[in-house]
Amino acid sequence: MPVTGRATRRSWFVWLTAAGVYLLAVFHRTSFGVAGLQAADRFGVGAAALSTFTVLQVGVYAAMQIPTGVMVDRYGPRRVLTAALLFLGLGQILLAEAHSYPLGLLARGVLGFGDAMTFVSVLRLIAAHFPGRQYAVVTSFTTAIGYLGNLAATVPLALLLAGPGWTPTFLVVGIATALYAVIVAVKVRDTPTPVPVVPREAVRARHLGRQIASVWRVPGTRLGFWVHFTTMFAPNVLAMLWGVPFLVQSQGLSPRTASALLTVFVFGSMIGGPLTGALISRRPGARMPLVGGYIAGAIAVWAVLLAWAGPVPVAVLVPSFAFLTLGGPASMIGFALARDYNPLERVGTATGVVNVGGFVATTIAALVIGVLLQWTGGNFRIALLTVVALLALGTCRMLVWWRRTRAHLFAAEARGEDIPVRIRRRRWDENAGVPVLAG
């Protein structure tokens, strides 16, 4: 059962240790943001093949989210986080020694497997160790710490790759990541000390299928999925792969300047995350208006970037990137929805379902952008229209499930049930219906 009072000092220590795992995962995930051009030279590949590195890694990540949620609910986040660190370390060690394209792909696939097991596990720990009113705030602190890993994967990583080089850099961070698994295994606890551990029953495929179906059946889970899908993929694609190539090959900036510009994504998210978490903790009803405001602003930003005649000035790129960084904090609202509308024993599974959304969108965007660049001879203006198309798709689906979640809340309120947030009925709520598996 979740904490209902104040979190203990021990809970904060457990969270900080687990957040360190997420920091490492984000570093490994985003390292190709500045290493992409070197990877192209090292493995002798073009834009489409380069995008396959990120597509494979993120595809593995997305495919593993629901199984990870089930594993976290079944085995506990401590064991899953320990395994995640071992896979992350192994993947980076393989990448350090890889000289062939197939081995490089294998390494990024192993990294994606380890990365997939981190964030859901950390959120499950937060749900168990902290009261509901602190969930959004602590989650936002987690993402802020994760962006420190993103920061390390910009200018510092670029300097290391230019100095010691590819193999020493990735070999050292891989070994350090694997060693951190010992700290997590010893220090992290799945629940606060006073909370008894519920005996775990044997896993049956039919039971798991029912659990996943029951989570997907909840309108709030489906809304969280589409919120995550729509808000987080655009900054992810730029930070993970196409940011530096876009700035260097399309905008004419030096690799070092381009890497420095990517730090805007880090600092913007580190500031915006806690502010967003604090706001939605105090005012849960502001969650969807915040998401809507971000999406409207993101469409305007991409219209400016893609319609600009000639290279976009740095004075325009910086505020544009700064606004797009808010997609990360906005995507955390999807996890708050998963927690609010699902019981604790299914929060891990629901979080995994939501987390699939943004990484499916990231996978599609990274792949299609690479293919379009290959077809158009490096025309980023055409290739990046992929982002606009996915924003439109995600927004349409999100609006559908927003109405249905509101209808679900009104129906629960009419039955006298406790509801996570009180909202006012609007004209568009009429005849919204509460479908179960449709859509």
Side-chain angles (χ1 to χ4, degrees):
M1 58 181 296
V3 175
T4 55
R6 297 183 61 183
T8 65
R9 184 177 300 179
R10 171 73 175 174
S11 291
W12 283 104
F13 176 79
V14 167
W15 164 75
L16 187 61
T17 304
V21 182
Y22 183 58
L23 183 154
L24 290 169
V26 172
F27 170 82
H28 297 309
R29 180 194 308 165
T30 57
S31 59
F32 260 40
V34 297
L37 295 178
Q38 285 198 28
D41 292 337
R42 184 180 181 89
F43 301 115
V45 296
L50 182 62
S51 69
T52 305
F53 281 106
T54 297
V55 169
L56 174 64
Q57 180 186 350
V58 178
V60 170
Y61 186 106
M64 279 295 297
Q65 285 312 289
I66 295 176
T68 295
V70 173
M71 285 192 297
V72 168
D73 287 338
R74 171 67 178 85
Y75 299 108
R78 179 178 65 87
R79 293 180 180 179
V80 178
L81 283 174
T82 302
L85 286 165
L86 296 176
F87 280 108
L88 284 168
L90 174 61
Q92 207 65 287
I93 291 170
L94 285 174
L95 187 66
E97 299 296 335
H99 289 277
S100 67
Y101 182 60
L103 185 56
L105 286 177
L106 174 64
R108 293 303 284 185
V110 173
L111 278 171
F113 191 85
D115 187 11
M117 295 190 280
T118 58
F119 194 58
V120 173
S121 300
V122 178
L123 293 194
R124 183 62 170 78
L125 282 170
I126 295 171
H129 282 267
F130 294 86
R133 59 185 173 81
Q134 288 185 300
Y135 181 83
V137 175
V138 182
T139 298
S140 67
F141 287 159
T142 304
T143 60
I145 289 176
Y147 279 111
L148 292 176
N150 195 345
L151 178 63
T154 54
V155 175
L157 180 59
L159 293 175
L160 287 172
L161 290 172
W166 180 286
T167 297
T169 297
F170 288 133
L171 187 62
V172 169
V173 297
I175 293 172
T177 299
L179 290 176
Y180 192 64
V182 178
I183 297 175
V184 170
V186 172
K187 298 297 183 180
V188 170
R189 293 292 177 267
D190 292 339
T191 57
T193 303
V195 179
V197 177
V198 178
R200 300 181 177 98
E201 299 178 354
V203 179
R204 294 181 175 86
R206 184 178 299 177
H207 171 73
L208 294 182
R210 286 198 300 267
Q211 179 166 325
I212 295 169
S214 66
V215 164
W216 185 244
R217 198 175 289 122
V218 176
T221 304
R222 204 82 69 95
L223 175 61
F225 174 93
W226 287 108
V227 166
H228 200 258
F229 180 102
T230 311
T231 53
M232 69 88 67
F233 80 93
N236 232 23
V237 165
L238 291 174
M240 290 180 66
L241 181 62
W242 292 118
V244 168
F246 166 68
L247 294 171
V248 173
Q249 297 173 356
S250 176
Q251 304 302 310
L253 301 178
S254 69
R256 184 165 296 185
T257 302
S259 299
L261 271 178
L262 288 189
T263 63
V264 172
F265 286 99
V266 180
F267 292 115
S269 297
M270 289 175 64
I271 296 170
L275 291 176
T276 302
L279 176 60
I280 64 176
S281 291
R282 291 195 304 267
R283 299 184 60 188
R287 294 186 295 199
M288 293 310 298
L290 282 173
V291 171
Y294 168 76
I295 292 172
I299 291 173
V301 165
W302 283 105
V304 170
L305 292 178
L306 298 181
W308 199 279
V312 182
V314 173
V316 175
L317 287 170
V318 171
S320 296
F321 283 4
F323 184 85
L324 291 178
T325 62
L326 299 178
S331 71
M332 297 301 103
I333 291 172
F335 299 121
L337 292 167
R339 186 198 188 280
D340 280 355
Y341 292 99
N342 289 276
L344 181 62
E345 62 270 16
R346 292 204 299 264
V347 165
T349 304
T351 302
V353 169
V354 169
N355 210 22
V356 168
F359 287 94
V360 165
T362 301
T363 303
I364 295 170
L367 177 60
V368 175
I369 289 171
V371 170
L372 289 177
L373 286 173
Q374 197 82 18
W375 285 353
T376 61
N379 190 324
F380 274 92
R381 185 168 299 184
I382 293 176
L384 290 175
L385 286 173
T386 304
V387 175
V388 179
L390 287 176
L391 276 173
L393 170 64
T395 300
C396 291
R397 298 308 299 161
M398 186 185 69
L399 289 174
V400 168
W401 286 100
W402 177 53
R403 291 188 67 216
R404 294 177 181 179
T405 301
R406 289 172 65 88
H408 178 81
L409 278 178
F410 291 132
E413 188 176 29
R415 293 192 298 266
E417 300 175 7
D418 290 333
I419 58 175
V421 57
R422 296 193 177 277
I423 53 177
R424 295 173 59 186
R425 188 180 292 273
R426 304 291 185 179
R427 285 183 299 175
W428 57 77
D429 291 311
E430 298 300 325
N431 301 319
V434 191
V436 178
L437 290 175

